[in-house]
Amino acid sequence: MGDNDDHVLLERTRATPPSPAVRIVLADEEDLFRGAFVALLEQEADVEVVAAVGNGDCAVAQALEHRPDIVVLDVLMPGRDGIEAAADIRARMDVPIVIVTRQARPAVLRRALQAGVQGFVPKTTPAERLVSILRDVQMGNRYIDPEVAARALTVPQSPLTPREAQVLRLTMQGGPVAAIAEQVSLAAGTVRNYLSTAMAKVGARNRFDAARIAAERGWI
């Protein structure tokens, strides 16, 4: 190879620098899943996990600090849940968000779409497929798990108001009414009224039964 050929190769190398890594903020309450997911993503040469946290409040803070290319959230987390965090992040910055969760129910999907997420994936998704979905969403595509989407089309419309659904979701975590009231910034008496109305709507004996029925029907 002559000097001219060497010069051409050098110029081509200079003209095509490596693509920047896809920067990800990840939030998941489960330490084991979060650690395994980070390890999986960091096997990819062009992926960088800039923050991995365990609750929705930290997810919002890290997203605003790092301005990532994509945010990955679980649903059930301490503080604000993943969907509330997604809505907050989307209100402050234009970044694609993927929900990866065990709570892959129609009502959760509807909430996620209302919050502006671009991806909704069960945690049972194979690892290689999950990485592929994240790449697709980061490139501007949308992905909704087909099975969850199909179930969403057959679930009856929920009779619950957003507040009733919210207090039932928090009831599933097992905390007392006072703790739920603190989380939603309402008086305990107001929360009890929402729970009583929800119990009547679903025909439940108590708030825990109401939460179970609503979850089974795909309403929370």
Side-chain angles (χ1 to χ4, degrees), residues 104-176:
R105 300 191 298 269
V108 180
L109 170 59
R110 284 193 287 265
R111 285 185 63 220
L113 294 177
Q114 290 169 358
V117 307
Q118 283 75 34
F120 190 89
V121 191
K123 283 187 175 178
T124 53
T125 304
E128 296 79 7
R129 179 63 181 141
L130 192 51
V131 172
S132 176
I133 290 168
L134 294 185
R135 291 185 186 281
D136 286 346
V137 172
Q138 192 272 327
M139 293 295 293
N141 299 312
R142 181 185 291 270
Y143 180 86
I144 306 299
D145 180 75
E147 183 177 341
V148 180
R151 290 205 309 270
L153 296 175
T154 62
V155 172
Q157 186 66 31
S158 173
L160 303 170
T161 66
R163 274 296 194 188
E164 291 164 358
Q166 181 183 35
V167 296
L168 286 183
R169 281 194 298 273
L170 293 172
T171 293
M172 294 185 71
Q173 298 178 15

Side-chain angles (χ1 to χ4, degrees), residues 4 9 15 57 79 81 88 103 128 167 175 177 191 195 212 214:
N4 289 338
L9 286 175
D57 295 330
D81 69 18
D88 197 353
Q103 310 300 313
E128 296 79 7
V167 296
V177 170
V191 171
L195 289 169
R212 178 188 59 78

